[in-house]
Amino acid sequence: MNLAHVTFEIQDGLALIGLNRPAKRNAISDGMIDELKAALDMAAAHAKVGVIFGHGDHFSAGLDLAEHAERTPFEGVLHSRKWHRIFDEIERGPIPYVAALHGAVVGGGLELAASAQVRVADESAFFGLPEGQRGIFVGGGGSVRIARLMTASRMADLMLTGRTLSAAKAEQLNLIQYVAAAGQALGEAKALARRIASNAPLSNFAITQALPRIQDMSHDDGLFFEALMAAFTQTSPDAVERLRAFLDKRADRLAKPRD
Ligand code: 1HE
């Protein structure tokens, strides 16, 4: 597949996926979402971790409103369900993702970012859900993912008032985990991704596959599923060697916190 709205590159075992419609502020069109799906498939086949970022001055201005204005309600449902499938591939797929955020991270752009396991934003980033102003609703999984990250009440506030949040505020409200200096989001995201890539692949798989599903379970089912997953990861030769390396004092000890 020729990519026109997304870039794809493998670098140090990482898949770098760039949203690439800067003239339209990386608004997510049908073409872009199809290419994003193709890029996710390539990443799963060739990389241990993916990094999603935006070319130009913004991560993404969200849904392509010009295309959306032409959709019938039924087409709207199908469109939303397609985004759900593709963003689920990021949140619950075979490899973890780090989102590198700057500029606008709004609407569907924030829904995309929320599907990554780790989000790092630089100081230029601003976050918002202007769906109320546009007369629409979230459709990319935001009412599930964003509400869980920041609480439904915080999300309702963003949607009702249309206000935007700075990176510092977004970190305080659990929308993101890291704030980087201006221009450093991608560099930080790659550094985090390299660190994640050094984990046992089966542990990363368990984290991306099991952790979000356990959040959907009852207390008892969650604990049982956790025990099965723990036993399963422990059987890999990788785990056996990593545990032995620690006990033989060949493994790195934990570093002190940076902040
Ligand atoms: C777009 C879009 C878009 C820009 N769809 N074309 N998202 C929004 O409501 C955010 C809408 N965008 C903005 O508020 C601003 O564009 C920005 C703050 C992100 C950037 O401002 P600025 O001044 O740098 O750019 P601009 O002049 O507004 O936009 C440049 C071009 O990008 C312009 O097109 P041009 O042909 O006139 O040059 C814009 O029309 C175009 N553009 N954003 C289409 N979003 C699955 S449900 C998810 C629901 C949502 O995502 S709702 C939130 C939608």
Side-chain angles (χ1 to χ4, degrees), residues 60-63 65 104-111 126-138 146 155-165:
S60 172
L63 175 67
L65 296 170
V105 187
V106 302
L110 180 51
E111 294 182 289
F126 57 97
F127 300 80
L129 292 168
E131 281 80 356
Q133 286 73 56
R134 306 289 175 243
I136 56 176
F137 191 63
V138 284
I146 296 171
M155 182 178 174
D157 168 47
L158 287 192
M159 293 187 74
L160 289 170
T161 66
R163 76 171 167 129
T164 56
L165 302 178

Side-chain angles (χ1 to χ4, degrees), residues 21-28 57-58 60-68 79-80 83 87 104 106-109 111 126 128-131 134 136-141:
R21 280 184 91 201
K24 297 289 182 183
R25 308 309 186 250
N26 293 330
I28 304 173
D57 293 337
H58 302 276
S60 172
L63 175 67
D64 187 312
L65 296 170
E67 286 185 355
H68 203 62
H79 171 266
S80 170
W83 281 39
F87 290 2
V106 302
E111 294 182 289
F126 57 97
L129 292 168
E131 281 80 356
R134 306 289 175 243
I136 56 176
F137 191 63
V138 284

Side-chain angles (χ1 to χ4, degrees), residues 71-82:
R71 286 193 183 98
T72 65
F74 186 41
E75 287 167 347
V77 171
L78 296 178
H79 171 266
S80 170
R81 296 299 289 154
K82 184 177 195 176

Side-chain angles (χ1 to χ4, degrees), residues 176-205:
I176 60 172
Q177 294 99 325
Y178 298 89
V179 180
Q184 298 303 310
L186 183 55
E188 284 282 328
K190 285 185 197 173
L192 291 165
R194 278 193 291 273
R195 191 181 163 95
I196 295 168
S198 72
N199 293 339
L202 187 54
S203 293
N204 281 349
F205 181 83

